[in-house]
Amino acid sequence: MEGRITGIKPFGAFVALPEGRVGMVHISEVSNSYVQDIAAVLHEGETVNVKVIGISPEGKIALSIKQLLPPPQRTGRDNGRGPRSSGPREGRGGPRGGKRPPRDDGPRVWQPRPPAKSDNLSFEDMMSRFKSQSEEKMADLDHESGGRRGGYASRNRRGGR
């Protein structure tokens, strides 16, 4: 949609939208390239095309100019990663060497892990299982640390102060 910039702050620009609403374009959503000073790129009173990328529960509207721009052109040399990645680096590619599989350039979206198989256990059974696993882990940790938990308490056990 189209909006008019009504205010510029160091972190973003406020945009008046149709129907009397106001949204904000964060500085990271202004351009495909790095923007250090938003006032050098956007100006109050300027008309811009924006995309609504989110609305918070409080009703704040997050906008983006960058998402309406064409994707940045990548040259064969830098693959869009900047000048520091012009050649192979030591230690890259894992212990067997070679190239990494191509990375998906799509957005990374957090996905929850599927819940552990419960075999239709009751809450009490699940709690009992959790407690026994927890006790096993604590016993392993206690064994690895030689029975010491660290700090001054370990000195007191040995007859110190």
Side-chain angles (χ1 to χ4, degrees):
M1 62 179 57
E2 193 173 273
R4 188 177 51 81
I5 298 175
T6 58
I8 305 268
K9 296 288 180 190
F11 53 85
F14 292 94
V15 179
L17 302 170
E19 300 176 15
R21 296 183 179 223
V22 175
M24 189 194 76
V25 179
H26 188 267
I27 191 168
S28 65
E29 290 293 330
V30 171
S31 172
N32 285 323
S33 58
Y34 176 72
V35 176
Q36 184 169 357
D37 180 15
I38 193 168
V41 180
L42 299 175
H43 307 287
E44 223 172 292
E46 182 180 357
T47 302
V48 291
N49 287 322
V50 294
K51 176 181 177 180
V52 176
I53 58 173
I55 300 176
S56 75
E58 298 85 30
K60 295 180 180 179
I61 302 172
L63 304 171
S64 175
I65 296 172
K66 173 171 78 172
Q67 291 186 21
L68 294 176
L69 300 174
Q73 292 294 322
R74 293 185 173 184
T75 63
R77 230 177 93 199
D78 70 354
N79 290 333
R81 293 187 185 135
R84 288 187 279 185
S85 64
S86 59
R89 291 187 351 193
E90 287 292 318
R92 285 290 181 121
R96 289 170 275 148
K99 291 190 174 190
R100 292 182 181 176
R103 182 176 156 190
D104 179 21
D105 286 336
R108 291 189 194 179
V109 178
W110 177 82
Q111 294 292 327
R113 290 184 178 168
K117 220 175 181 184
S118 66
D119 299 324
N120 295 328
L121 298 174
S122 68
F123 176 76
E124 290 79 14
D125 292 337
M126 287 189 286
M127 186 58 94
S128 176
R129 179 189 288 177
F130 170 77
K131 285 173 60 179
S132 67
Q133 289 172 345
S134 179
E135 288 169 358
E136 289 172 10
K137 288 178 185 177
M138 289 302 293
D140 288 345
L141 288 172
D142 195 38
H143 176 72
E144 287 176 15
S145 65
R148 295 184 309 274
R149 302 273 173 159
Y152 293 104
S154 62
R155 286 186 188 165
N156 290 339
R157 259 192 237 160
R158 286 186 248 141
R161 296 184 201 196

